[in-house]
Amino acid sequence: MEEVLKLKIPASTANLGVGFDSIGMALDKYLYMSIRRIEGRDWEFLYYSPELESLPKDESNYIYKVAQEVAQKFNVTLPCLQIEMRSDIPLARGLCSSASALVGALYIANYFGNIQLSQYELLQLATEIEGHPDNVAPTIYGGLISGYYNPDTKVTDVARIDVPKVDIIITIPPYELKTEDSRNALPETFSHKAAVQNSAISNTMICALIQHKYKLAGKMMEQDGFHEPYRQHLIPEFEQVRQISREHDAYATVISGAGPTILTLSPREYSGELVRTLRDKVTNCISELVTINEVGVIDEVVYQKS
């Protein structure tokens, strides 16, 4: 019998407007991985969806590099592996396919290296590599999570927020937007006045979400000053999507992560009509309803005939 590790890893959306680099939510789009030991010296990567075909299949593969980095950190040697991958998470679109791959690599190293990492330790490792917890925390745990990574102590602390009772619509443009390019659009510094203002907006948004006051939360989300004003010009469809969403009484329309995907929070009774309107009027993009993933990574070991 052959031992196979199967992983189902959710996508995530970060920021929710004002929660820059600190708030994220897991979504029901997934990276699927099936991993088994093989004979030989080189890992094999088999891709079963067009989204992944541009990725390397040698030791420059991000999953390979992260898995080996973790193995070295814990002084273990990983066997040669074959990794089959399928994904419905678009690359470089603001749904953090890279965080899903990173988390997958950690689970691979943990299982095949028999490291026995706890979920908390997986989060610490992921955040240390990623630099902030906004994507990796909800990918691991599921749901809506706020977190802070202290670069001095290298400790990440997170808090879960009740999943909002709203429908989520994502509008995905046909072009990629690299995180590096999106970050280069941001200012190097903020004035004290601007920092206080945006902190107040963010704090109010969190409290509104906790109290399930979605109109107030949405109002705060759309007043972000940390990143959206500097990135919106990179997404030509953004203003049109926001205007259409407002006409359908959506709570908020924001940039998902670094973009270009656009995220809309809608009352459940209006979401179907809204997504159909977006499809009709913003024809160069893919608009779809997605649900919030509440469980995070699903890992399972199965035994197959070799």
Side-chain angles (χ1 to χ4, degrees):
M1 297 292 284
E2 182 182 37
E3 192 176 45
V4 181
L5 173 66
K6 291 186 176 291
L7 300 173
K8 182 180 178 183
I9 308 166
S12 58
T13 180
N15 302 330
L16 296 185
V18 291
F20 186 60
D21 276 4
S22 59
I23 297 172
M25 186 165 62
L27 301 176
D28 70 341
K29 296 182 81 67
Y30 297 96
L31 170 63
Y32 300 89
M33 304 176 71
S34 182
I35 309 100
R36 56 174 56 82
R37 293 177 178 86
I38 57 173
E39 298 297 326
R41 300 175 59 185
D42 298 324
W43 288 29
E44 294 181 5
F45 290 89
L46 304 177
Y47 303 139
Y48 296 114
S49 54
E51 281 292 346
L52 303 174
E53 284 301 327
S54 62
L55 299 179
K57 297 183 178 182
D58 56 17
E59 293 183 1
S60 64
N61 186 285
Y62 181 61
I63 292 171
Y64 175 87
K65 291 195 292 186
V66 171
Q68 295 293 354
E69 180 183 336
V70 174
Q72 185 176 14
K73 183 181 181 73
F74 289 93
N75 197 30
V76 299
T77 300
L78 298 178
C80 196
L81 299 173
Q82 180 190 80
I83 301 178
E84 299 181 11
M85 297 170 61
R86 177 170 62 87
S87 180
D88 51 29
I89 307 171
L91 301 181
R93 296 295 204 284
L95 294 171
C96 220
S97 56
S98 61
S100 300
L102 165 60
V103 170
L106 297 182
Y107 273 75
I108 289 169
N110 185 41
Y111 180 77
F112 287 98
N114 194 24
I115 304 173
Q116 300 294 313
L117 293 167
S118 67
Q119 205 173 39
Y120 173 84
E121 290 172 318
L122 287 164
L123 172 66
Q124 301 303 316
L125 278 171
T127 309
E128 187 176 339
I129 294 169
E130 184 79 354
H132 39 84
D134 54 348
N135 287 114
V136 293
T139 296
I140 293 171
Y141 289 108
L144 176 58
I145 291 181
S146 179
Y148 169 63
Y149 171 65
N150 187 321
D152 297 323
T153 62
K154 299 191 185 314
V155 172
T156 297
D157 293 297
V158 298
R160 185 185 292 269
I161 306 166
D162 284 348
V163 169
K165 295 176 174 61
V166 301
D167 276 353
I168 305 294
I169 296 166
I170 55 174
T171 300
I172 308 171
Y175 49 87
E176 294 185 355
L177 183 54
K178 300 294 186 184
T179 302
E180 182 181 1
D181 295 335
S182 192
R183 284 201 175 271
N184 287 339
L186 303 179
E188 287 291 329
T189 59
F190 276 96
S191 68
H192 183 270
K193 180 180 178 180
V196 170
Q197 176 181 327
N198 284 287
S199 178
I201 294 169
S202 182
N203 292 340
T204 304
M205 188 270 282
I206 289 291
C207 289
L209 282 178
I210 290 171
Q211 297 176 27
H212 300 282
K213 294 181 178 179
Y214 303 128
K215 284 187 177 181
L216 176 58
K219 181 181 178 181
M220 295 298 104
M221 287 179 195
E222 292 194 352
Q223 293 186 65
D224 169 65
F226 282 128
H227 74 113
E228 289 208 347
Y230 310 101
R231 288 173 164 171
Q232 286 180 18
H233 72 279
L234 300 172
I235 309 170
E237 301 84 2
F238 183 84
E239 282 302 328
Q240 182 186 11
V241 172
R242 176 173 276 183
Q243 183 57 40
I244 292 170
S245 298
R246 284 175 174 170
E247 291 169 1
H248 287 74
D249 295 316
Y251 295 122
T253 297
V254 296
I255 299 171
S256 177
T261 292
I262 302 161
L263 184 85
T264 300
L265 280 70
S266 169
R268 290 170 173 171
E269 60 268 32
Y270 304 136
S271 60
E273 184 179 348
L274 171 54
V275 75
R276 290 190 293 273
T277 302
L278 289 170
R279 284 183 167 185
D280 289 341
K281 294 188 175 181
V282 192
T283 55
N284 66 316
C285 298
I286 297 171
S287 292
E288 60 181 293
L289 279 164
V290 295
T291 53
I292 302 168
N293 171 284
E294 298 188 45
V295 298
V297 179
I298 295 176
D299 59 319
E300 180 186 17
V301 178
V302 298
Y303 294 89
Q304 302 174 348
K305 289 184 177 180
S306 50

